[in-house]
Structure formats: C-alpha cells, structure tokens
Amino acid sequence: MGMTVRIAVSLPDDVAERLAREPNVSRFVAEAVRQQIRRERSMDLLAQAGYVFDETDIEAGQQLITEHLGSVSPELAARADERLSRWKRR
C-alpha cells in the first residue's frame, strides 16, 4: 500500500452530514476521488476520440457515450485504467 497523507478540508453541511454516516470516511473519500480521476481520464480519452461535450451537459454526454459505446462497469473502468497506465509507461 502507498503512503498516506492527512489533509484537512472544509465541506458544505450536506456533504459533512453524509460523511458522518460512513464508518471509514478516508476510504469513502479516496474511492470517490478515484472515481473522479477515472471520469476525467475517460473524458480525456473520449475527447481524443472526437466525443466532446460541455461539462454543463454531462448527462447528455453520458447518454451519448452509452448509446455509442455501451455501459462500462466500475470494475471494467478500473481494469482499463490499469492497462492504460501500463501502456503509457512503455
């Protein structure tokens, strides 16, 4: 396992209330950030493939992706990220 870093953040009340229900807040936040990273990588790859849409229209963009490429499970996305990382290191 990699190194960990303690970070203090200020959050809106609704977000803090949701996190208060989590038994392991660090794990929950780490996974949420990892999902965002995967989303950003996916958006970059899609843009390279010619699928470009505005951040404000993300729902329509997701629908377009689903229609063109089909649904991608979180497991499949993680495997794709792993393979892409290995490919980029070459």
Side-chain angles (χ1 to χ4, degrees):
M1 181 172 189
M3 200 171 104
T4 61
V5 177
R6 182 176 293 272
I7 297 175
V9 298
S10 299
L11 301 168
D13 290 341
D14 61 326
V15 175
E17 288 171 13
R18 173 59 185 89
L19 289 176
R21 297 192 312 260
E22 282 301 314
N24 187 331
V25 174
S26 294
R27 181 175 35 196
F28 184 86
V29 170
E31 183 54 34
V33 171
R34 285 184 183 115
Q35 287 178 0
Q36 178 63 25
I37 291 168
R38 284 192 298 268
R39 182 183 163 281
E40 290 169 356
R41 287 179 184 163
S42 296
M43 297 294 283
D44 289 344
L45 289 171
L46 289 167
Q48 290 174 27
Y51 293 93
V52 180
F53 41 85
D54 192 292
E55 276 290 322
T56 59
D57 198 21
I58 197 71
E59 194 171 311
Q62 289 173 334
Q63 182 63 35
L64 175 68
I65 293 163
T66 300
E67 289 171 3
H68 285 235
L69 305 174
S71 295
V72 176
S73 69
E75 294 81 15
L76 181 58
R79 287 196 331 239
D81 282 346
E82 181 183 331
R83 288 181 180 173
L84 182 59
S85 294
R86 283 188 300 214
W87 179 76
K88 284 183 175 182
R89 283 182 273 187
R90 292 181 184 176

